[in-house]
């Protein structure tokens, strides 16, 4: 019994020292990481804004994939929206932003955070990956399965179907949400 | 002094963790698609191995044998998490490139293997030398595989971007005539196999002498 208590205390001491070291490291790195995330998000918003002015952000609740929208203004009138999206990929939750016309047509999209497998799902962060969804959502449907893609695009997402489906579902949900806003809000 | 040098150099060739002991192959095969990834992974492994060896060697008389595995795992997992946080904050491109392989250093057999086989039985100084030697051996192994795969598979050598330098060096001829399979996952196994065969042949040749 005494031996077990001694072992427990040794492990507790090791855990306490490790926890202290982790807390110290976190206190140094967390503000830097937060600053980087904010900068990345700002750059992503600029990249998908289609040259329009980024307006006010509105939080969205009760939706499966949509977390917020940001108005895109062209000469003071709402021309489209940036939509903040979440989805479940192979490695867990992923977040992305996509811009749409007010008719729900996707213009640009960019992956923000994810834990997808390098060489497979991680390809979703590459430039050009989101091109297969461009122009969809209004007149033509968002491709949510590989059969809706061209042979070259289907080949490109081969081995990472879960990631592709997750991104596609999020983009389709964003488009539907923008359409539900009924044009200019 | 001679013993110290032996302790330091054994991990580089004679007991190379990648080609001779064959430990930690998961990150070696997974991350060796680019030289920059290999260097980043080597730096992570070096940091974790060095400090885990120091801590475990220093505590070897305090940690009872019946709880040594959970104690080692707590120490190693904490060091890996610290490495992850530091890389995320200060070298985000490497952090992003290493992806899931960075937290997987926790279960890298080299770290636990050296803690169990060496640090728990030897002095702090010897453990430091062992960690440095093994880390250099690991770095040489993974970087050699990455260099061959990237040069022949993509015709490039990817380092870290600095100022106007993008970090990518295009190698003439190789860039226009890449052997694509080497850049893909099977390429890692092929290169690993040939290099392992070379190391085995070299070892047996020395034994015959």
């Amino acid at each position: 019994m005494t031996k077990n208590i001694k072992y427990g205390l040794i492990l507790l001491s090791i855990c306490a020292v490790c926890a202290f070291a982790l807390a110290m490291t976190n206190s140094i790195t967390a503000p830097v990481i937060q600053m980087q995330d904010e900068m990345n998000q700002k750059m992503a918003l600029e990249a998908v804004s289609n040259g329009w002015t980024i307006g006010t952000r509105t939080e969205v609740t009760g939706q499966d994939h949509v977390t917020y929208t940001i108005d895109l203004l062209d000469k003071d009138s709402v021309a489209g929206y940036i939509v903040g999206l979440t989805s479940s990929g192979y490695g867990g939750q992923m977040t992305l932003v996509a811009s749409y016309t007010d008719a729900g047509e996707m213009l640009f999209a960019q992956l923000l955070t994810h834990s997808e497998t390098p060489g497979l799902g991680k390809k979703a962060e590459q430039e050009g990956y989101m091109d297969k969804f461009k122009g969809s959502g209004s007149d033509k449907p968002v491709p949510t399965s590989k059969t809706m893609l061209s042979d070259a695009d289907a080949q490109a997402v081969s081995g990472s179907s879960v990631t592709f489906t997750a991104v596609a579902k999020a983009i389709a949900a964003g488009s539907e949400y923008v359409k539900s806003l009924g044009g200019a809000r | 002094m001679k013993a110290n040098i032996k302790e330091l150099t054994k991990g580089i060739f004679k007991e190379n963790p990648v080609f001779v002991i064959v430990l930690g192959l998961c990150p070696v095969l997974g991350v060796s698609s680019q030289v920059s990834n290999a260097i980043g992974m080597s730096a992570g492994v070096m940091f974790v191995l060095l400090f885990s060896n120091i801590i475990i060697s220093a505590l070897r008389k305090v940690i009872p044998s019946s709880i040594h595995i959970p104690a080692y795992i707590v120490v190693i997992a904490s060091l890996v998490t610290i490495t992850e946080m530091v890389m995320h904050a200060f070298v985000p491109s490497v952090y992003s490139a290493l992806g899931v392989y960075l937290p997987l250093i926790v279960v890298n057999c080299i770290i636990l293997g050296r803690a169990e086989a060496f640090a728990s039985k030897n002095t702090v100084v010897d453990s430091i030398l062992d960690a440095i030697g093994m880390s250099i051996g690991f770095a040489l192994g993974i970087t050699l595989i990455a260099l061959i795969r990237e040069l022949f598979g993509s015709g490039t050598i990817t380092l870290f971007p600095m100022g106007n330098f993008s970090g990518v060096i295009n190698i003439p001829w190789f860039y226009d005539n890449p052997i694509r399979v080497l850049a893909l996952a099977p390429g890692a196994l092929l290169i690993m196999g040939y290099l392992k065969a070379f190391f085995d042949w070299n070892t047996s040749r020395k034994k015959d002498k």
Side-chain angles (χ1 to χ4, degrees):
Chain A
M1 183 65 183
T2 323
K3 204 165 73 175
N4 287 344
I5 292 170
K6 187 185 157 194
Y7 289 172
L9 285 173
I10 291 170
L11 276 176
L12 182 69
S13 310
I14 293 171
C15 289
V17 173
C18 288
F20 179 74
L22 288 170
M24 290 300 290
T25 312
N26 186 55
S27 68
I28 296 165
T29 55
V32 183
I33 293 168
Q34 194 187 350
M35 210 166 69
Q36 274 170 15
D37 288 347
E38 283 168 7
M39 208 167 72
N40 287 343
Q41 176 139 15
K42 200 178 160 191
M43 280 164 62
L45 293 181
E46 290 288 342
V48 301
S49 67
N50 198 33
W52 291 328
T53 309
I54 297 170
T56 50
R57 174 173 163 146
T58 310
E59 299 302 323
V60 176
T61 52
Q63 293 285 325
D64 276 348
H65 296 283
V66 181
T67 53
Y68 63 87
T69 62
I70 297 173
D71 297 345
L72 284 173
L73 307 170
D74 185 24
K75 293 172 190 161
D76 294 335
S77 63
V78 176
Y81 299 94
I82 292 174
V83 182
L85 301 161
T86 60
S87 198
S88 289
Y90 189 77
Q93 198 191 49
M94 51 168 71
T95 61
L96 56 153
V97 284
S99 58
Y100 301 87
T101 63
D102 57 4
E105 181 185 325
M106 199 209 89
L107 299 168
F108 298 98
Q110 200 164 322
L111 200 59
L112 290 178
T113 59
H114 69 91
S115 306
E116 301 303 284
T117 315
L120 297 172
K122 202 172 163 63
K123 284 189 284 190
E125 68 182 10
Q126 285 174 358
E127 211 179 318
Y129 185 91
M130 298 295 180
D131 288 355
K132 53 183 81 57
F133 302 107
K134 255 186 193 175
S136 66
S138 178
D139 294 334
K140 61 173 185 173
V142 176
T144 49
S145 74
K146 281 206 276 187
T147 52
M148 295 166 78
L149 295 173
S150 67
D151 286 350
D153 283 343
Q155 186 65 33
V157 300
S158 148
S160 57
S161 305
V162 176
T163 311
F164 165 74
T165 309
V167 171
K169 276 184 179 171
I171 287 173
S175 172
E176 288 305 315
Y177 185 76
V178 167
K179 281 188 231 171
S180 76
L181 296 174
R185 191 161 48 194
Chain B
M1 185 62 186
K2 202 178 169 186
N4 285 351
I5 292 170
K6 200 178 164 190
E7 228 40 273
L8 182 72
T9 55
K10 71 171 193 274
I12 301 173
F13 293 109
K14 199 178 164 195
E15 290 181 29
N16 186 288
V18 178
F19 299 121
V20 180
I21 310 178
V22 197
L23 287 178
L25 281 195
C26 173
V28 167
L29 299 176
V31 175
S32 60
S33 54
Q34 284 185 342
V35 175
S36 59
N37 295 353
I39 295 170
M41 177 55 83
S42 303
V45 167
M46 186 175 278
F47 174 83
V48 175
L49 185 56
L50 181 63
F51 283 93
S52 73
N53 264 18
I54 291 172
I55 294 167
I56 287 160
S57 176
L59 296 176
R60 69 188 187 281
K61 287 173 185 163
V62 181
I63 301 171
S65 61
S66 50
I67 57 160
H68 71 288
I69 293 290
Y72 294 173
I73 291 289
V74 169
V75 170
I76 293 166
S78 303
L79 288 167
V80 170
T81 311
I82 289 170
T83 310
E84 202 179 350
M85 287 193 283
V86 170
M87 278 195 174
H88 193 173
F90 302 109
V91 269
S93 56
V94 178
Y95 170 80
S96 170
L98 294 181
V100 74
Y101 294 104
L102 190 54
L104 278 178
I105 294 176
V106 175
V107 286
N108 188 322
C109 308
I110 297 173
I111 315 287
L112 195 58
R114 295 324 289 171
E116 179 79 5
F118 196 89
S120 61
K121 295 168 189 154
N122 290 280
T123 64
V124 174
V125 174
D126 284 346
S127 299
I128 291 172
L129 294 172
D130 178 74
I132 294 171
M134 285 290 162
S135 306
I136 294 172
F138 178 80
L140 285 176
I142 190 171
T143 310
L144 180 63
I145 294 174
L147 188 67
I148 295 170
R149 283 184 69 192
E150 200 184 352
L151 178 65
F152 289 96
S154 311
T156 58
I157 295 174
T158 309
L159 301 169
F160 300 98
M162 269 180 285
N164 292 332
F165 174 54
S166 68
V168 183
I169 304 165
N170 292 334
I171 310 295
W173 195 84
F174 290 101
Y175 187 74
D176 298 321
N177 302 284
I179 308 166
R180 287 276 177 227
V181 70
L182 295 182
L184 302 173
L189 288 163
L190 281 171
I191 299 297
M192 174 67 201
Y194 281 117
L195 288 173
K196 172 89 179 96
F198 172 76
F199 264 76
D200 284 353
W201 168 77
N202 197 35
T203 309
S204 62
R205 194 176 57 110
K206 279 179 183 166
K207 271 183 190 166
D208 290 345
K209 279 182 183 175

